[in-house]
Amino acid sequence: MKVLLTGFDPFGGESVNPAFEAIKLLPDTIAGAEIVKVEIPTEFTRSISCVEAAIKEHNPDVVIDVGQAGGRACVTVEKVGINLADARIPDNAGEQPSDEPLQADGPTAYFATIPVKAMVQNVREHGLPCHVSFTAGTYVCNCVMYNVLHLCATKYPNIRAGASPYFCFRTPNRYPNEKIRIPAAVALPLRHGGIGTDPPRRPRAERPVGIRHRPQLHRDNAGSGHPDGRHA
């Protein structure tokens, strides 16, 4: 099995993005799976083309986008990506879409095709806080998650995909072994009970592809790129 992990470059005036820094600390193999690490731009337009280029180059079985979610209290694994771009701050290319669809002909949302609950449970069993998230916001992290799932639904049906925003510890004394625990929080979802076990897959006809109804969508400040809750 091969897993493609993507992480964003710094954005919003920051000099580093802790999500990609954590990815770089991961081993090249986890639970028998080859780990490919790729940095992508925090840009609405260019990010997905960079991910697709990595997909074509590495031919992964799984794609997981790891992002920074400064307003969250723990690591979260995303359940759904929505067809909406709504940025409160510009991306790194100066683009600031407002209430725009990511794919004009795409469904309202896509559910992650990775085993979200199993991944969360495994992290918790190793003593780290972790929750399922039902909103990846409306900034570039959601953009990449939705667009990758759209690619998987339309061009790469054998790839499973999802996202896991990574929270930035702002109180280092709370976790003395932070340098070990942070990458562990990214790595653990890939281990036992997560994608590393390569669970049986349902036939494609049984897998959810997209959501066609129009639910009311919650927007959090972090997810739209608010300066007080940075979220790629």
Side-chain angles (χ1 to χ4, degrees), residues 30-51:
I30 297 176
E34 179 184 350
I35 306 301
V36 178
K37 311 156 197 176
V38 175
E39 185 178 39
I40 61 175
T42 309
E43 300 177 20
F44 282 95
T45 298
R46 201 159 63 92
S47 56
I48 189 58
S49 61
C50 293
V51 177

Side-chain angles (χ1 to χ4, degrees), residues 161-186:
S164 179
Y166 156 87
F167 77 110
C168 177
F169 286 108
R170 299 196 184 279
T171 54
N173 293 334
R174 183 179 175 191
Y175 294 105
N177 297 321
E178 178 181 346
K179 289 185 178 180
I180 298 174
R181 295 171 69 92
I182 289 175
V186 178

Side-chain angles (χ1 to χ4, degrees), residues 79-134:
K79 179 66 176 179
V80 62
I82 63 174
N83 191 8
L84 179 65
D86 193 64
R88 296 193 184 187
I89 61 172
D91 67 10
N92 284 352
E95 188 177 357
Q96 190 173 2
S98 176
D99 203 24
E100 298 178 10
L102 293 167
Q103 296 289 336
D105 59 346
T108 302
Y110 283 105
F111 287 121
T113 51
I114 52 177
V116 172
K117 289 187 176 181
M119 295 165 71
V120 168
Q121 182 61 30
N122 191 54
V123 175
R124 289 177 176 175
E125 289 174 355
H126 285 79
L128 291 173
C130 188
H131 297 288
V132 176
S133 168
F134 296 97

